[in-house]
Amino acid sequence: MSDTRSTDVHSETTDTPADTGTSTDKDLTEAGSRLSTAPVETAMPGSFGGSRAPGALGWISWTAREVIGWARWFWRQLTSMRVALLLLFLLSLGAIPGSLIPQSGTNAMAVQAFKDAHDVRGPLYDRLGLFHVYSSVWFSSIYILLFVSLIGCIVPRAWQFVGQLRSRPPGAPRRLERLPAYATWRTDAAPEEVRAAALKALRQRRFRAHVTGDAVAAEKGYLREAGNLLFHVALVVMLVAFAWGQLYKSEGNKLIIEGDGFANTLTQYDDFKSGNLFTADDLVPYSFTLRDFTGTYERTGPNKGTPRTFKADLTYSEGAYGKEKKTTVRVNQPLHVGDSKVYLVNHGYAPVVTVRDGKGKVVFHDAVPMLPLDANVTSQGAIQVRDGYRNAKGEKEQLGFGAIFVPTFAGAGQGSMFSQFPAADNPVLAVNAYHGDLGVNAGVPSNVYQLNTKNLKQFKGADGKILKARLAPGQTMKLPGGYGSITFEKQVKEWAGFQIVQQPGSGWALGGALAAILGLAGSLFIPRRRVWVRATTGADGATVVEMAGLGRSESAKLPEELGDLAALVHDQAPTKTADPDADPDREPDAASHVPAAEGVQTK
């Protein structure tokens, strides 16, 4: 083999040769052209207007050129990858306050509490829009600019990529030895045979190859640019999906006692929030009933009291007249109905209570849900008798009972009113009683789990002390003065808290994220490269074979790949045996003579 060279692959084109401006430079430039669809980076100019002609017309013409030129320059910067990555970084930074600072769209009470607790930061955060980050002007501006940047980047690059796929690899430069990876030898095979062998070898390695003039031109690695475009398109899909989901989302919570049901209408929710474009007609029509809730816990060991099983057995139907179906909802295993998901988020107990008036008439009988206060489900709540009650004087009045419920009571004299275990092993209900006006008829929303004692009077016993009692299942506390009684029945139901979420576009967002990862992997790990094989007849009648490679970015594998290709061609067109410089025991290897990073030429 007479000459072999191997060096690093340059990022876009080859090194600038000494004879700048010659036809050889043009060939090298053409050889490295269209290896990427990235726009050419341009430095900030001093002026686009050029020289200004005298007079008003000259000034108008110069101003128009200046404005148009700067507009184009700013558009190129906006649609560059550098600016897109910067905007994506700013978007990530902008989302941080949304996770650290309470947001008015999700927890208005926490926002108000923050403002009350911080006299300086509260108003400042409000002016900066930090309490509604995702709908603020500055966050929306970053979001829209990123969207425009990606669209402006994708469209021209996609068009260029289609043009590259439709075109053929460019012809070989005149001086192949100036390319980063190079190999040459002389053979007795005819030039046509060498080109045919090279064409076959390149196509076997999945190169797009064709014969042009005295050389074979081939190219491979189009999936790199396809991955790049896929990454950009996936980001746009994710942005659209997130925006769609935020605008049309809905989220609500509902506490349901065993045996009760829920229909997916606005009036059925305990609390509800939605996106700006969401309407009640967007709710998926369905209903379900909580047949049974089951919760089990560790009984012994260091993890005593840790939940082992939480499941809710439901009966549900889709639409107004859908067939009833049975299902079980567990933590992180929601019920899917169309675009709506029903998550099991919490649970508690609802002791069954009966309240009677002074004549023994039942004025209240229901399971009362209690809200947990700790891990052992010590719970508190309120029992409110709003209608149908008359006091000992026959006057209409309302009754209220503050209640503490423990599923496992330690026993009298063995501690305060705190549960010792989450399961209902020894349930006890502690109550105190009020009478008067509960304030529920004032037209102001009230908390059903807490008493408003402003217009209530507390019952007192014969000894003048506040009336209160700890009731075991089946026990009754009588109210003084013939006001009636309250009974803790021998039944404790359980309730389950559900979160009903409807967020369209989540599937598209997930698909976009997976596609972005796939596209990014392709753009990072698939090299784009070109190979040329020239076969010409030398002065002595032998065929001179030259092979050279050029890649888009630096890759130590390019010389190695060229060496493998040269070996395949050499098998069909071996080195001329009459060549005194030939080494018949050595196959051509573009990377074997010199480390690729050094770029040293050997002969």
Side-chain angles (χ1 to χ4, degrees):
M1 189 178 298
S2 59
D3 183 34
T4 307
R5 178 186 300 175
S6 173
T7 65
D8 270 347
V9 181
H10 293 262
S11 61
E12 293 292 341
T13 60
T14 60
D15 289 336
T16 304
D19 50 341
T20 305
T22 65
S23 59
T24 302
D25 297 329
K26 296 180 180 179
D27 289 341
L28 292 176
T29 302
E30 176 62 22
S33 67
R34 292 182 285 114
L35 271 174
S36 171
T37 58
V40 179
E41 295 290 340
T42 57
M44 181 179 291
S47 173
F48 287 100
S51 59
R52 182 167 58 187
L57 186 60
W59 183 86
I60 293 174
S61 178
W62 178 87
T63 303
R65 292 195 303 269
E66 191 79 3
V67 171
I68 294 174
W70 278 106
R72 289 177 176 174
W73 186 83
F74 278 114
W75 174 253
R76 293 192 193 100
Q77 303 310 306
L78 179 61
T79 57
S80 66
M81 175 62 69
R82 179 178 62 254
V83 173
L85 292 176
L86 177 62
L87 290 171
L88 189 61
F89 178 68
L90 290 177
L91 194 71
S92 302
L93 287 180
I96 293 176
S99 59
L100 299 180
I101 300 174
Q103 300 295 292
S104 57
T106 58
N107 196 338
M109 296 181 64
V111 171
Q112 188 59 47
F114 187 94
K115 291 180 179 179
D116 295 339
H118 302 85
D119 296 334
V120 177
R121 282 192 294 167
L124 177 62
Y125 286 4
D126 198 13
R127 285 195 295 268
L128 294 176
L130 298 182
F131 292 124
H132 50 93
V133 168
Y134 305 111
S135 60
S136 63
V137 174
W138 57 269
F139 190 86
S140 301
S141 300
I142 298 174
Y143 197 91
I144 294 172
L145 282 176
L146 177 59
F147 189 82
V148 173
S149 177
L150 290 174
I151 294 295
C153 184
I154 290 171
V155 173
R157 293 186 71 161
W159 183 254
Q160 293 178 34
F161 184 56
V162 171
Q164 291 180 15
L165 293 177
R166 297 180 62 183
S167 63
R168 291 185 171 187
R174 294 186 181 183
R175 298 182 61 181
L176 290 176
E177 70 274 10
R178 305 186 67 176
L179 296 184
Y182 177 78
T184 183
W185 72 94
R186 300 164 69 85
T187 181
D188 290 327
E192 294 79 6
E193 296 175 358
V194 176
R195 288 192 286 270
L199 186 64
K200 180 179 179 181
L202 288 166
R203 287 178 174 173
Q204 286 178 346
R205 292 296 184 95
R206 298 188 298 277
F207 278 82
R208 292 179 63 209
H210 71 108
V211 178
T212 171
D214 59 359
V216 177
E219 190 169 1
K220 189 178 182 181
Y222 289 92
L223 286 179
R224 179 189 182 96
E225 191 62 33
N228 201 342
L229 290 173
L230 177 62
F231 173 74
H232 285 75
V233 172
L235 286 181
V236 173
V237 171
M238 290 173 61
L239 289 175
V240 173
F242 286 139
W244 182 21
Q246 290 297 317
L247 290 173
Y248 288 95
K249 74 173 183 179
S250 67
E251 181 179 311
N253 295 286
K254 180 64 178 179
L255 185 151
I256 303 177
I257 302 173
E258 290 174 325
D260 292 344
F262 167 80
N264 195 23
T265 59
L266 289 179
T267 57
Q268 289 280 299
Y269 285 92
D270 294 334
D271 60 82
F272 184 85
K273 55 182 178 291
S274 62
N276 294 334
L277 300 182
F278 180 86
T279 64
D281 295 335
D282 295 324
L283 287 172
V284 178
Y286 65 92
S287 60
F288 64 87
T289 300
L290 176 61
R291 293 184 289 111
D292 183 57
F293 179 87
T294 303
T296 61
Y297 310 88
E298 287 287 347
R299 289 283 178 178
T300 58
N303 296 323
K304 181 180 178 180
T306 302
R308 295 183 60 187
T309 303
F310 276 170
K311 66 176 184 177
D313 296 325
L314 306 180
T315 300
Y316 74 99
S317 61
E318 301 181 35
Y321 306 101
K323 182 180 179 181
E324 287 191 347
K325 304 175 185 178
K326 293 183 178 181
T327 187
T328 298
V329 177
R330 294 179 172 86
V331 178
N332 296 325
Q333 296 181 18
L335 167 65
H336 294 258
V337 183
D339 289 335
S340 182
K341 297 179 182 179
V342 180
Y343 291 91
L344 175 64
V345 291
N346 53 13
H347 101 290
Y349 293 97
V352 179
V353 174
T354 300
V355 179
R356 294 177 174 85
D357 61 13
K359 297 180 179 180
K361 177 184 176 183
V362 175
V363 293
F364 180 90
H365 176 78
D366 204 353
V368 181
M370 301 286 169
L371 299 183
L373 300 175
D374 56 28
N376 286 328
V377 203
T378 302
S379 308
Q380 72 174 4
I383 304 166
Q384 301 183 20
V385 182
R386 302 183 178 187
D387 300 308
Y389 172 77
R390 292 181 180 272
N391 59 22
K393 299 178 182 179
E395 300 171 345
K396 288 185 178 182
E397 203 171 20
Q398 294 176 331
L399 294 178
F401 301 86
I404 297 290
F405 175 80
V406 291
T408 301
F409 183 52
Q414 298 186 27
S416 57
M417 193 67 178
F418 285 97
S419 177
Q420 306 300 307
F421 193 73
D425 295 340
N426 182 25
V428 169
L429 180 68
V431 294
N432 52 15
Y434 298 82
H435 63 102
D437 183 8
L438 293 172
V440 296
N441 299 324
V444 179
S446 59
N447 190 342
V448 297
Y449 303 105
Q450 197 172 30
L451 286 179
N452 180 4
T453 59
K454 180 179 180 181
N455 298 316
L456 294 177
K457 294 182 180 180
Q458 196 164 15
F459 284 101
K460 295 182 179 181
D463 55 0
K465 295 182 179 180
I466 294 175
L467 181 66
K468 57 184 179 180
R470 290 176 179 173
L471 304 178
Q475 291 183 342
T476 299
M477 180 182 77
K478 291 187 177 182
L479 303 178
Y483 272 74
S485 65
I486 179 172
T487 301
F488 177 20
E489 302 292 346
K490 295 181 179 181
Q491 183 181 13
V492 178
K493 293 186 177 182
E494 295 187 67
W495 60 260
F498 296 94
Q499 185 178 61
I500 297 93
V501 178
Q502 189 171 322
Q503 187 167 4
S506 56
W508 284 97
L510 176 61
L514 296 177
I517 295 174
L518 181 64
L520 185 61
S523 65
L524 291 177
F525 300 112
I526 298 177
R528 180 87 175 269
R529 63 271 195 202
R530 288 173 180 163
V531 172
W532 293 272
V533 182
R534 174 176 286 141
T536 57
T537 303
D540 59 352
T543 300
V544 179
V545 182
E546 293 181 284
M547 295 187 67
L550 178 67
R552 174 183 171 185
S553 58
E554 293 185 2
S555 174
K557 293 184 178 181
L558 178 62
E560 180 181 344
E561 185 175 27
L562 185 67
D564 294 339
L565 290 169
L568 293 176
V569 178
H570 187 268
D571 290 341
Q572 303 298 321
T575 303
K576 183 178 180 181
T577 56
D579 190 344
D581 295 330
D583 183 1
D585 296 328
R586 181 168 187 155
E587 291 186 350
D589 185 351
S592 61
H593 292 271
V594 56
E598 298 297 332
V600 179
Q601 179 178 353
T602 61
K603 292 188 179 181

